[in-house]
Amino acid sequence: MDAASMVDEQLVPRGITDQRVLAAMRSVRRHRFVPIQYRLSAYYDGPLPIGYGQTISQPYIVALMTQLLETEPEATVLEIGTGSGYQAAVLAELVKHVYTVETIKELADRARKVLESEGYTNVTVYHRDGSYGLPEHAPYDRIMVTAAAPRVPDQLKDQLADGGVMVIPIGPAYGVQVLRQIRRVKDDFEWTDREYVRFVPFTGGVSQSEDE
Ligand code: SAH
């Protein structure tokens, strides 16, 4: 299995229609982002462990979230939860710059190395708790959160540009969560729930706060 058959067999049949997203999913070398023992399974239809209790999302979920983010070539994107760096690479194919934040130092270091060796010069990896976003480069045209939070952190809302889009799984840790697409119009946040998903929990500041 390779990236081209992953796109043709898993993404197109399940309704990923955005041609830019499909092209990005074809070109990123997913096998470089998974641990060596999972290389042969890199393009299969499921999540894979990346160590430290974390996972790289299933290709379909990466494609779906990327499609819902409605990227544009000139956009600046913030991703919370770098993990393997794979989602950041897919975004890097589609936008001007990706800032991505990871709370586990070993994962941040590994992702930074892989992204560099794969030739991505428009991704910056930060090691820190992403509950507070990344104020220094705000506002962001797009924000993607790849760990489940009980509610949308206020700081992330504040850091989303007017007209911007955020995609975030909302719900309890280890329960069923819903993929929420949020659009900022001035100081209003319009949202639509898109699909049920299961993500590893968001840790740090926001996980302590109460449900909406
Ligand atoms: N997008 C990743 C998969 C993310 S798994 C990929 O393409 O591989 C979720 C990641 O979010 C984990 O690596 C976890 O450590 C990280 N995470 C959880 N809470 C976080 C927080 N508060 N700030 C930053 N990263 C966080």
Side-chain angles (χ1 to χ4, degrees):
M1 171 97 54
D2 60 10
S5 34
M6 172 187 88
V7 168
D8 296 341
E9 291 164 25
Q10 301 166 34
L11 308 185
V12 175
R14 279 155 99 169
I16 305 299
T17 52
D18 184 328
Q19 293 302 318
R20 293 178 70 242
V21 173
L22 294 172
M25 299 288 298
R26 275 196 187 90
S27 47
V28 179
R29 306 198 308 160
R30 184 169 161 96
H31 62 276
R32 295 281 294 124
F33 293 87
V34 305
I36 195 118
Q37 65 270 34
Y38 297 113
R39 286 281 149 89
L40 291 174
S41 320
Y43 298 94
Y44 284 94
D45 187 14
L48 290 169
I50 54 172
Y52 311 94
Q54 307 303 324
T55 55
I56 176 174
S57 307
Q58 177 187 12
Y60 168 67
I61 295 294
V62 173
L64 176 66
M65 290 181 81
T66 309
Q67 177 165 281
L68 290 174
L69 203 63
E70 300 177 9
T71 61
E72 284 169 3
E74 285 308 303
T76 298
V77 179
L78 172 64
E79 181 197 23
I80 308 293
T82 314
S84 67
Y86 175 70
Q87 173 75 73
V90 171
L91 291 169
E93 298 272 343
L94 295 165
V95 302
K96 191 164 175 190
H97 201 94
V98 180
Y99 296 96
T100 179
V101 179
E102 171 57 53
T103 186
I104 299 175
K105 184 172 189 307
E106 290 79 359
L107 290 177
D109 289 345
R110 196 162 74 195
R112 197 180 289 116
K113 272 199 204 117
V114 180
L115 286 160
E116 208 177 279
S117 74
E118 290 299 289
Y120 292 99
T121 54
N122 60 339
V123 184
T124 317
V125 181
Y126 287 80
H127 166 231
R128 67 164 79 163
D129 177 1
S131 302
Y132 312 102
L134 189 67
E136 49 265 59
H137 300 287
Y140 302 95
D141 304 307
R142 302 289 185 267
I143 298 179
M144 183 186 284
V145 182
T146 64
R151 58 187 291 278
V152 184
D154 289 335
Q155 285 90 342
L156 294 186
K157 283 177 157 176
D158 292 343
Q159 291 171 30
L160 185 63
D162 184 14
V165 178
M166 180 178 347
V167 174
I168 177 171
I170 295 289
Y174 305 111
V176 175
Q177 306 125 13
V178 67
L179 204 51
R180 185 165 295 175
Q181 183 190 41
I182 301 165
R183 198 178 307 272
R184 178 172 191 164
V185 182
K186 301 221 166 69
D187 285 328
D188 287 339
F189 293 86
E190 301 165 352
W191 50 271
T192 316
D193 285 343
R194 296 294 187 173
E195 193 149 336
Y196 292 107
V197 288
R198 252 172 212 278
F199 272 82
V200 296
F202 208 97
T203 60
V206 73
S207 58
Q208 314 303 324
S209 53
E210 291 183 8
D211 282 13
E212 256 173 333

